Amino acid sequence: MIENVEGVFRCVAEKFNVPDILNVNTGFYKISGSEIQFVSGIRNEELDTIAKGQIKFGEVFGFYLDNTHLETTEFNAGIGLHVKFLPFNDEDPDELAEMIALHELAHLIEQQKLTNQLNIELEECDQAIGNKVEIHLNNWNPDLGHNQEFVAILNYLIRREYPMDYAHKLRVALSLTLADIESDIVNEEEDESYYDCRRANF
Ligand SMILES: [Zn+2]
């Protein structure tokens, strides 16, 4: 059993074979009540302001990517995991918790441009589902974080670990991001094959 969120992220990173991404650029924090508590990693002054926007979610742990030494100017504070997901059973992981953690890890890979370093070779299939989701999300507002590359990386990591179940897992990983598609699936107006990269148009 893993009792803290940093442990969950490290465990999921190891399982999906991307152990080096929680590096010197990342830090972990905890929101409890109206308090932001820095936990470990690198500390960034901007954190307080951004994390305060997440207080409404209740008691959560998160991590952020400090961009001081990176090309990206976007500051990323990821909602990590709600305390309801702790403790985390690494032998029989909660599916939503695992996929939320993987979703955040895919952001770290994309924002730090680590695909080459991690030998991630995106296939046409990954690019296609990335494209489909990006186009869908940009129908309303430009969504810079959930871009084509991010979704392609997420899909790649899922396919590698769950080759038989990747469409379902991607649905879970994006269920909070594409809330409209999720609601269509729940109402049976859409099904999980929406997330099957092999059925996305190239
Ligand atoms: Zn996200």
Side-chain angles (χ1 to χ4, degrees), residues 48-67:
D48 273 22
T49 324
I50 298 194
K52 272 179 186 141
Q54 301 175 336
I55 286 176
K56 61 178 183 293
F57 295 106
E59 192 172 353
V60 295
F61 294 86
F63 71 88
Y64 63 96
L65 177 63
D66 178 73
N67 59 17

Side-chain angles (χ1 to χ4, degrees), residues 2-13 28 88:
I2 297 173
E3 308 284 343
N4 66 79
V5 78
E6 183 170 350
V8 176
F9 277 104
R10 291 193 188 281
C11 167
V12 173
F28 286 85
F88 180 83

Side-chain angles (χ1 to χ4, degrees), residues 76 103-104 107 143 145-146 150 173-174 177:
N76 176 33
H103 173 127
E104 300 301 341
H107 277 309
D143 184 331
H146 299 107
F150 157 77
L174 291 174
T177 309

Side-chain angles (χ1 to χ4, degrees), residues 70 117 119 171 194:
L70 299 173
Q117 191 182 318
N119 292 320
R171 169 199 172 180
Y194 177 91

